[in-house]
Amino acid sequence: FIFLISIFGCASENITKIGYTNNKSVSIDTKNEASTNTSDASTNKYDILLKEHLKRKFKNKKSKADYILKANISFASNETLSVNGLSVLISTKAVIDYSLIDNNSNLLVKAGSINTFPALSSSSNSIYTNEKSLDFIKERLVKSSAQKLYLLTNIILRKLIED
């Protein structure tokens, strides 16, 4: 009986820590979001997607953010051979450069970059099909990158709370 009480007591303490972490609001800022240059149009689209995916994850309830998360996403593509070696596939990776800043003191909390696992696109003779395939891959990479960045930011915030 005492064993059960101690388990539930420890579990409720952990829940209050997680709840306190979720009370911290994070404002998301993407660098290329406001650019109107036509050469940055594709990057602009993916930065906006990244911001929207992160907004859905954080669900801020406060009007003034405690932290500012600045993020920028870029893509790198390489050609690679298929398993049978007959066709060329395009391997695409996303790289997110981020920095987490304390809004009250304007101090940098953490900065770094996240690399995603490469995604392969299909090989087709149609240029339209190849472009659409690359667009869908980039959208999937943005979504998985936003999830990784959200998890990393929560870990950083929990470490700040524990210290």
Side-chain angles (χ1 to χ4, degrees):
F1 182 71
I2 295 173
F3 179 70
L4 291 174
I5 292 174
S6 65
I7 289 176
F8 289 123
C10 292
S12 66
E13 180 182 342
N14 192 17
I15 289 172
T16 56
K17 283 184 184 178
I18 291 171
Y20 184 69
T21 304
N22 292 340
N23 286 340
K24 297 290 183 184
S25 65
V26 178
S27 171
I28 295 105
D29 181 25
T30 55
K31 292 180 183 177
N32 294 329
E33 174 188 2
S35 71
T36 57
N37 189 358
T38 56
S39 65
D40 291 337
S42 63
T43 308
N44 189 9
K45 170 186 171 183
Y46 298 114
D47 280 334
I48 291 171
L49 280 173
L50 177 67
K51 183 175 183 175
E52 290 303 315
H53 284 299
L54 286 171
K55 275 185 178 178
R56 290 177 189 163
K57 296 285 183 190
F58 281 107
K59 300 176 187 168
N60 292 330
K61 295 175 183 160
K62 293 182 182 178
S63 60
K64 184 178 186 269
D66 298 321
Y67 296 94
I68 299 172
L69 179 64
K70 294 185 178 183
N72 182 25
I73 190 163
S74 60
F75 300 95
S77 296
N78 297 324
E79 289 184 353
T80 184
L81 287 176
S82 64
V83 175
N84 60 10
L86 298 176
S87 60
V88 176
L89 300 174
I90 297 176
S91 172
T92 305
K93 257 172 83 167
V95 178
I96 293 186
D97 298 316
Y98 70 92
S99 59
L100 185 64
I101 300 169
D102 187 354
N103 201 15
N104 297 327
S105 62
N106 287 333
L107 293 176
L108 179 67
V109 176
K110 176 87 174 179
S113 64
I114 298 174
N115 296 323
T116 63
F117 193 76
L120 295 175
S121 66
S122 64
S123 62
S124 174
N125 294 333
S126 169
I127 295 173
Y128 176 77
T129 304
N130 288 337
E131 287 179 6
K132 281 299 180 185
S133 175
L134 189 60
D135 282 344
F136 292 141
I137 285 173
K138 287 181 178 180
E139 288 174 7
R140 286 196 318 263
L141 287 174
V142 166
K143 189 172 183 178
S144 68
S145 299
Q147 176 68 24
K148 286 181 183 180
L149 187 57
Y150 171 72
L151 292 173
L152 181 67
T153 306
N154 271 341
I155 290 170
I156 293 168
L157 291 176
R158 286 185 184 154
K159 284 184 181 179
L160 286 174
I161 291 171
E162 289 176 2
D163 292 341

